[in-house]
Amino acid sequence: MNNTLIVVRRELSGYFATPVAYVFIVVFLALLGAMTFFVGNFFERGLADLGPFFQFHPWIYILLIPAISMRLWAEERKSGTIEMFLTLPISLTQAVVGKYLAAVFFTAIALALTFPVWITVNILGDPDNGVILAGYIGSLLMAAGFLAIGSFISALTKNQVIAFVVTASLCFVFIASGAPLVLNFFSGWAPQQAVDFIASLSFLTHFSAISKGVVDVTDIAYFASLIAVFLFATALAVARLKGE
Amino acid sequence: MAMIEIDDLMKRFGAAVAVDHVSFNVDRGEVLGFLGPNGAGKSTTMKMITGFLTPSSGTARVEGFDVQTDPIEVKRRVGYLPEGAPMWSDMTPRGFLTFVAQVRGLRGAKLNERIDIVVAQTQLDSVLEKPIETLSKGFKRRVGLAQALLHDPDVLILDEPTDGLDPNQKHEVRNLIAGMAADKAIIISTHILEEVDAVCTRAIIIADGKVVADETPEELLRRSQRHNAVSVRVGGEMSVARTLLQDLDGVASIETVRANWLVVQSNNGEALVSEIGTALRGIDMPIDEIHVERGNLDDVFRNITSNR
């Protein structure tokens, strides 16, 4: 077994060793359920798809993803375990990627537990399950993107509250840059290319493209490169702690 | 080749120099006591040897591997107990030790065998399944120690291994270290000077980031004012004994300590125990107790680290 996987396993068991995991999953499912059925009018629409379900994912992630990512490095720094961790024969890449993947797996577990919604829609109607699968892929990619941002912010501070607030704000910026409110502000005076560029930076743009069932290479590449950039930045931030 | 080579190691935090061009080697079979006041740079030096901190200049080598260019190779060969033994508090000792063993490349039967051995060595069996956060300070320290011993490393770097242990546990840990000393190179930092006397073959004292003494505990003791002074408790009149001893050849000074103890210092560092005995018996002065002082490491430590 590779060191990265050993780290992933330790981290994952860490989530479930405390109530954190269970609280997170319950709140995630409750919020998502409430949004889908009450705000999204899941039933009243009379459509057999998961549109009302997926449209709230970005906003729920803003609140909940920073709660997972804030502890990634900040907690290790605060408690000093980072010294134990980084003096084991684990490379910086293995450490950063292992911790990050554990957070992604954990989010994937929470996301997978929304399966009753998928069953419901299949009982009530005849949805396009390909589109639903694309929606799940898009949602997980988006969560993974947020987690990469959160991993970086968490490596910059010892304080988990700061990590939470900064990550949530940054995630909001990444979402909002694709929202009509922001784009309309720019479209009045900025050239169209600039507006397109700002929109293209947004998670929302890429997520809604994928969740419509169009899994395009550019959207995947967007999330993949964003994740790579922020994980690299995380590694730099952790290396900086060593006094380089 | 020395097992551990510290080569002109320097660490700067902002404007402050925490470790100031420190060099020394540690060979197999040596237990190096690393002493110094708080903030002298002991832990910083250890953090640099183990690859947690990057030196501002200079480097450290373990079994020939440079920590700057081959950090993973160094980390594989070193068992390290960091200061305060920080550990993931929601894990159990068994979970934690299993994780460390896996990272260190141990698998299957070998893994279980090594865990059993270190658990026995550090007497952890009673707490193996309890979350680390619920353990006493002494148990936590021993879990940290067990973790450092898991892969039976040739190089051990232990930052205050007996801190927080009770006297019995301290004794156990010292025996453990002494028992392993013959085929390993060991560095332990400590505040407890008796520990140096008990387990170390060599002591380095650092102050303000610089090495100010590097010798055997015996040599350090010899620096003590009291080294080879003779303490004698007489049964008769103190002033008579004092006058007699003052005139003895080679006596430099006499101090009266407590009720009827006299401490006699010679002027050449030799213990004048037989001369004093003979002289006192010559006037029929009863000697209740007499012994040669070994010296006091605390005094030496204070002298070396404060007269700067």
Side-chain angles (χ1 to χ4, degrees), chain B residues 164-177:
Chain B
L165 303 187
D166 69 32
N168 295 334
Q169 295 166 340
K170 277 184 185 151
H171 183 73
E172 294 293 336
V173 168
R174 281 175 204 158
N175 281 349
L176 185 62
I177 293 172

Side-chain angles (χ1 to χ4, degrees), chain A residues 1 3 6 9-10 14 17-18 76 79-91 241-244, chain B residues 11 47 50-54 72 75-76 80 82 86-88 90-91 96 99-100 102-104 107 147:
Chain A
M1 197 171 22
N3 273 351
I6 298 171
R9 267 216 336 216
R10 195 213 76 76
T18 60
E76 303 266 358
S79 67
T81 48
I82 190 168
E83 186 172 356
M84 190 69 90
F85 191 46
L86 294 182
T87 52
L88 291 171
I90 300 172
S91 73
L241 300 176
K242 298 156 77 85
E244 274 167 5
Chain B
K11 182 69 183 175
K47 285 178 212 274
T50 53
F52 181 60
L53 289 179
T54 307
I72 299 288
K75 290 168 188 178
R76 281 205 180 112
Y80 177 42
M87 280 170 293
W88 296 285
D90 44 27
M91 294 184 99
F96 175 61
F99 165 68
V100 174
Q102 286 173 342
V103 166
R104 297 232 176 246
R107 296 289 182 274
Q147 162 276 137

Side-chain angles (χ1 to χ4, degrees), chain B residues 87-248:
Chain B
M87 280 170 293
W88 296 285
S89 53
D90 44 27
M91 294 184 99
T92 62
R94 184 186 293 286
F96 175 61
L97 292 176
T98 306
F99 165 68
V100 174
Q102 286 173 342
V103 166
R104 297 232 176 246
L106 298 167
R107 296 289 182 274
K110 183 74 187 156
L111 182 148
N112 290 325
E113 182 196 319
R114 283 304 306 167
I115 289 183
D116 289 345
I117 291 174
V118 297
V119 164
Q121 279 178 325
T122 52
Q123 296 163 324
L124 286 175
D125 32 320
S126 62
V127 298
L128 220 42
E129 313 295 346
K130 294 178 183 164
I132 290 173
E133 62 193 338
T134 64
L135 302 185
S136 68
K137 205 176 170 194
F139 270 121
K140 280 184 190 161
R141 192 58 51 123
R142 284 187 278 162
V143 176
L145 200 58
Q147 162 276 137
L149 300 175
L150 259 179
H151 53 305
D152 196 18
D154 283 342
V155 172
L156 271 178
I157 296 178
L158 309 174
D159 203 343
E160 301 190 352
T162 59
D163 188 39
L165 303 187
D166 69 32
N168 295 334
Q169 295 166 340
K170 277 184 185 151
H171 183 73
E172 294 293 336
V173 168
R174 281 175 204 158
N175 281 349
L176 185 62
I177 293 172
M180 294 183 302
D183 49 351
K184 297 190 194 303
I186 303 176
I187 303 182
I188 60 172
S189 81
T190 181
H191 287 296
I192 310 159
L193 295 163
E194 56 180 283
E195 199 154 287
V196 176
D197 213 12
V199 295
C200 297
T201 57
R202 192 173 138 208
I204 283 185
I205 298 180
I206 67 171
D208 298 331
K210 291 189 184 69
V211 173
V212 291
D214 179 356
E215 41 206 68
T216 65
E218 201 50 46
E219 284 167 330
L220 271 184
L221 278 172
R222 232 170 274 156
R223 293 193 187 204
S224 168
Q225 280 232 304
R226 283 279 176 85
H227 181 70
N228 273 356
V230 174
S231 287
V232 54
R233 185 157 67 92
V234 294
E237 193 58 46
M238 285 281 284
S239 53
V240 179
R242 201 183 162 112
T243 324
L244 175 81
L245 295 179
Q246 231 143 31
D247 297 335
L248 211 61

Side-chain angles (χ1 to χ4, degrees), chain B residues 7 32 37 41 78 100 110 148 161 165 176 194 266 270 284:
Chain B
D7 186 359
L32 177 73
V78 173
V100 174
K110 183 74 187 156
L165 303 187
L176 185 62
E194 56 180 283
S266 68
E270 298 288 313
D284 284 334

